Amino acid sequence: MEERGSPDGDPARNLEQGPEGPEKPETPIQVVLRVRPMSAAELRRGEQSALHCSGTRTLQVSPPGGGPDVAFRFGAVLDGARTQEDVFRACGVRRLGELALRGFSCTVFTFGQTGSGKTYTLTGPPPQGEGVPVPPSLAGIMQRTFAWLLDRVQHLGAPVTLHASYLEIYNEQVRDLLSLGSLRPLPVRWNKTRGFYVEQLRVVEFGSLGTLMELLQMGLSRRRSSAHTLNQASSRSHALLTLYISHQTMPPVEPGGPPTGGKLCFVDLAGSEKVTATGSHGELMLEANSINRSLLALGHCISLLLDPQRKQSHIPFRDSKLTKLLADSLGGRGVTLMVACVSPSAQCLPETLSTLRYASRAQRVTTRPQAPKSPVAKPPRHLEPELLQLQEENRLLRSQLRQMDPKASGLSGARVAWAQRNLYGMLQEFMLENERLRKEKSQLQSSWDLACDEQRILAQQVQDLERRLFSACYLHQSGPGPAPPCPCVMAPLPLCHALPSLCSCPCCHLCPLCRAPLAHWACPRRELHLPQVFGPQAPGDVPLSARRPPWAPPRSPGSANYLRERSHSHWTQTQVLAEVLTKEEVVPSAPPMPMGPPNTSPVLRGGATVPNLARRLEALRDQIGSSLRRGRSQPPPSEGTRSPSRVLPPC
Ligand code: ADP
Ligand code: MG
């Protein structure tokens, strides 16, 4: 069995959910089906029913020829046994009323072949006489909704103003059914704020159900209807009754315009008809052609609205007055309910199938419900600067957004997605890279600290060794016999006695010159010790740092490097002296640092310093080694040789 209709589940449920804001931007047109009972005339003619309701939402159509059944699915299917009250409760019009109270623009319209029960569904059976009201049990959706709405408004608690207008489109002319004078055609205009609207349409304020019913009766009685074969009271025009619901804080958008707020519009379409079937001729035929033309335009708009590319396609709402006035309900910001009406008779099956297909398509049309913006109340004076600032910020952000607009930048959707993914990927990479660099930096920092420590230790060792070297050379050169008088005896105690000892040996704790406890070797007064080392020929005005130590290799007096060779640092930073004099090996406390340009990074700079120091120590070691060897190989200046080992016993 073939099944057509709503593909996305329960439209009634969708309707109940309604537009809930940005997370539900599109709402399909809700469609319910009403199958009227067989009329007395149809029964008399012995016509068979071709329609069977299966459940509450599916209609089965059995073609008389015995073809396969066709099923149609709608939000609700209401058969001939259902009362007007059932229809009112099941069709979801109350939900639309609630939305209208919240400011949405809502439309209920009936659609179907002539004589299928559209007017009956909306307003009940035709008036039995001038001023004779419809019996309450037969009142249609409109009267029931009016009663419900006025009751609802009374219990709202907030003051609400209600207005109504009622017009008909007859032979492509809009006529005001509530006008005080004769029914004269009114122009349909369009502007940006209101969309399509009828100029000079009378909008009547009402405050009670009674008044509204009177307005309805007035319109119904003025609406054009005629008798033809299929309907004794056939509507010859499309009729639109609109209720405007406005809260009193919302003035009209335009002076003289309808009130701002929600709208609930009831549209009773004239039925499509085969003129051959209705037997229309003359004026009736003209009316029928006009009705059919506008219904055709409506069908065309619905077909185009179903087009997935509809954003690009033009919807010809301007083709008829009907489509102009329904534009907002069909493709705009409204919420729409369609009540499709059909006759059960097998004789009407072609028109019934046409209506069913039409209604099936319509329930796939979506709208973007949007409550009208309430007029902006003037902000308090103290908030104006902030408002201006926010507006400016908003403007800036919008312009930035426009620059990023894929259309503006000529990027397709796929490329934009790719670019966004890539940007996101790049951002992630940058974050990872940052994290990696942060770790690397902290490692480098700790390496730098280690290198600094090592440099400090080495410098200290060099100073110790230098001190030992001085004392060794002094003892080596002074020869046997009593030690020469130390200048320290005459001079005040030098400030060099805080030098830490190299080992636990007692001699290492004494100054080799004055035998006083050792002080810092680099003390500025250490020159007091050195004339003994360099001898009387040493120039007294040459500072210690510039003097050539005795272990230095012989130099050529004319050497251009003479002054440079006398640099103190060449003779004072000696690592291997420790090995020579104390038999201790200096083990680096950190692995060698990679060499690099001096200013590349802290670690490279620190790493370069330690090898430089080690290299200088290496050079000094060579020089001292050769000096000591030379000292040993030379004949002693007097009998007996005082080797350094005798003066400085191994520790
Ligand atoms: P339409 O407006 O579609 O042309 P009407 O509403 O005028 O059709 O109905 C045509 C006829 O059928 C009327 O006489 C009406 O009273 C009758 N009718 C329609 N629907 C029902 C119904 N549900 N129950 C009883 N009579 C109905
Ligand atoms: Mg009608």
Side-chain angles (χ1 to χ4, degrees):
M1 179 172 61
E2 187 187 351
E3 183 165 312
R4 301 177 189 187
S6 170
D8 56 355
D10 184 355
R13 183 167 45 83
N14 289 344
L15 189 69
E16 282 305 306
Q17 288 166 354
E20 297 295 343
E23 70 277 8
K24 229 174 155 30
E26 293 207 342
T27 297
I29 290 180
Q30 307 300 316
V31 179
V32 296
L33 180 73
R34 185 172 201 197
V35 185
R36 69 160 169 79
M38 293 283 275
S39 68
E42 286 165 340
L43 289 172
R44 247 193 334 270
R45 290 195 292 268
E47 294 172 12
Q48 296 294 311
S49 173
L51 309 179
H52 312 282
C53 291
S54 152
T56 55
R57 295 178 53 203
T58 307
L59 179 80
Q60 242 169 279
V61 181
S62 310
D69 282 8
V70 181
F72 291 86
R73 200 171 164 82
F74 299 101
V77 174
L78 303 149
D79 61 18
R82 308 296 286 271
T83 64
Q84 294 281 68
E85 178 67 12
D86 293 340
V87 174
F88 168 71
R89 290 186 175 282
C91 70
V93 69
R94 285 176 296 175
R95 176 64 182 163
L96 264 69
E98 291 288 358
L99 291 170
L101 282 169
R102 282 164 48 190
F104 287 89
S105 176
C106 306
T107 306
V108 185
F109 71 95
T110 50
F111 173 81
Q113 180 197 6
T114 186
S116 59
K118 300 179 294 295
T119 306
Y120 184 97
T121 299
L122 274 182
T123 55
Q128 302 302 307
E130 187 77 20
V132 180
V134 176
S137 62
L138 297 181
I141 289 174
M142 280 168 75
Q143 293 97 326
R144 291 171 197 274
T145 307
F146 296 166
W148 172 85
L149 185 71
L150 280 154
D151 183 58
R152 189 77 183 75
V153 163
Q154 271 185 355
H155 293 94
L156 261 186
V160 169
T161 310
L162 297 166
H163 292 78
S165 68
Y166 202 179
L167 63 86
E168 71 172 351
I169 304 170
Y170 174 72
N171 282 346
E172 265 316 272
Q173 287 183 346
V174 175
R175 307 194 309 180
D176 188 350
L177 294 174
L178 301 182
S179 70
L180 296 172
S182 58
L183 296 178
R184 54 189 177 87
L186 299 177
V188 176
R189 306 223 185 270
W190 183 89
N191 76 20
K192 206 175 171 183
T193 45
R194 294 175 65 181
F196 290 106
Y197 67 98
V198 179
E199 200 172 56
Q200 297 169 13
L201 184 69
R202 184 169 175 234
V203 181
V204 182
E205 184 173 349
F206 65 93
S208 68
L209 180 61
T211 316
L212 181 58
M213 290 298 190
E214 281 171 20
L215 293 173
L216 174 67
Q217 285 304 124
M218 180 181 176
L220 283 176
S221 62
R222 295 174 88 177
R223 187 181 173 191
R224 285 294 289 255
S225 65
S226 306
H228 57 67
T229 318
L230 294 181
N231 190 352
Q232 289 306 300
S234 172
S235 320
R236 309 310 289 167
S237 65
H238 309 298
L240 285 80
L241 185 145
T242 307
L243 300 180
Y244 306 88
I245 304 158
S246 57
H247 296 271
Q248 282 175 1
T249 48
M250 302 164 81
V253 173
E254 288 178 359
T260 308
K263 271 194 322 185
L264 184 54
C265 180
F266 298 90
V267 183
D268 182 13
L269 293 178
S272 58
E273 62 180 69
K274 276 186 184 167
V275 277
T276 46
T278 55
S280 301
H281 53 85
E283 193 182 14
L284 276 182
M285 200 166 80
L286 283 176
E287 289 168 359
N289 286 340
S290 173
I291 292 165
N292 287 343
R293 244 196 330 272
S294 60
L295 289 176
L296 203 66
L298 181 64
H300 187 45
C301 287
I302 288 179
S303 298
L304 288 172
L305 286 167
L306 285 170
D307 181 0
Q309 303 293 319
R310 82 182 200 203
K311 300 289 176 294
Q312 281 82 44
S313 61
H314 164 71
I315 311 293
F317 287 119
R318 288 176 183 272
D319 278 7
S320 74
K321 299 263 169 52
L322 176 68
T323 46
K324 280 179 185 177
L325 297 181
L326 289 183
D328 206 34
S329 310
L330 293 172
R333 299 167 300 174
V335 187
T336 304
L337 166 67
M338 175 196 265
V339 184
C341 298
V342 290
S343 158
S345 168
Q347 296 299 112
C348 300
L349 195 56
E351 288 79 18
T352 299
L353 281 171
S354 166
T355 301
L356 292 173
R357 287 193 203 101
Y358 201 89
S360 289
R361 286 214 303 273
Q363 65 188 346
R364 284 186 280 132
V365 174
T366 55
T367 58
R368 292 174 183 272
Q370 189 181 333
K373 292 187 186 81
S374 51
V376 185
K378 202 168 162 50
R381 190 173 287 276
H382 70 277
L383 289 179
E384 273 178 15
E386 194 178 341
L387 190 69
L388 284 174
Q389 192 185 335
L390 287 172
Q391 280 171 346
E392 176 62 15
E393 195 178 320
N394 195 7
R395 194 186 58 73
L396 268 172
L397 288 172
R398 274 175 199 278
S399 74
Q400 284 174 4
L401 203 63
R402 262 199 301 278
Q403 283 169 7
M404 292 167 67
D405 184 5
K407 282 177 203 152
S409 61
L411 291 173
S412 69
R415 288 185 65 189
V416 169
W418 177 85
Q420 281 172 348
R421 269 202 309 277
N422 266 18
L423 277 176
Y424 184 68
M426 276 169 66
L427 188 66
Q428 280 184 324
E429 275 176 28
F430 279 137
M431 285 168 68
L432 289 173
E433 177 77 1
N434 260 356
E435 188 55 34
R436 194 180 60 73
L437 287 173
R438 215 173 283 133
K439 276 187 189 149
E440 197 175 321
K441 188 186 161 199
S442 88
Q443 282 172 358
L444 292 178
Q445 185 63 46
S446 56
S447 298
W448 166 251
D449 292 345
L450 277 174
C452 288
D453 285 352
E454 184 165 357
Q455 188 182 7
R456 193 173 43 75
I457 291 166
L458 283 174
Q460 199 177 1
Q461 287 172 347
V462 163
Q463 285 177 350
D464 291 348
L465 293 171
E466 190 186 34
R467 177 175 52 78
R468 284 168 174 264
L469 180 61
F470 267 92
S471 69
C473 291
Y474 167 77
L475 293 171
H476 178 70
Q477 289 182 357
S478 62
C486 176
C488 299
V489 176
M490 278 78 76
L493 192 66
L495 300 173
C496 54
H497 299 285
L499 190 69
S501 60
L502 292 174
C503 66
S504 57
C505 160
C507 65
C508 293
H509 294 272
L510 298 176
C511 172
L513 304 178
C514 63
R515 296 296 171 187
L518 288 174
H520 198 285
W521 187 252
C523 121
R525 299 193 59 189
R526 64 181 173 173
E527 283 86 353
L528 291 171
H529 305 264
L530 295 177
Q532 307 292 327
V533 178
F534 293 103
Q537 69 276 23
D541 57 340
V542 179
L544 171 67
S545 60
R547 286 177 194 163
R548 189 175 178 78
W551 60 86
R555 60 170 171 79
S556 152
S559 166
N561 293 332
Y562 175 68
L563 286 175
R564 212 171 349 120
E565 283 172 4
R566 292 169 66 171
S567 159
H568 182 246
S569 64
H570 278 86
W571 315 114
T572 55
Q573 295 179 346
T574 310
Q575 175 188 11
V576 185
L577 279 178
E579 295 168 34
V580 173
L581 298 175
T582 66
K583 305 288 186 277
E584 287 174 3
E585 191 172 352
V586 177
V587 179
S589 60
M593 294 294 161
M595 296 294 289
N599 56 352
T600 46
S601 74
V603 71
L604 293 182
R605 287 201 299 274
T609 308
V610 174
N612 282 346
L613 191 58
R615 270 204 305 277
R616 287 210 293 277
L617 289 173
E618 183 71 25
L620 279 172
R621 183 187 64 166
D622 292 345
Q623 290 168 355
I624 291 164
S626 65
S627 172
L628 289 173
R629 277 195 300 279
R630 204 168 46 248
R632 280 193 214 103
S633 64
Q634 280 171 3
S638 58
E639 58 189 90
T641 303
R642 289 185 71 177
S643 71
S645 61
R646 282 175 59 205
V647 178
L648 295 171
C651 303

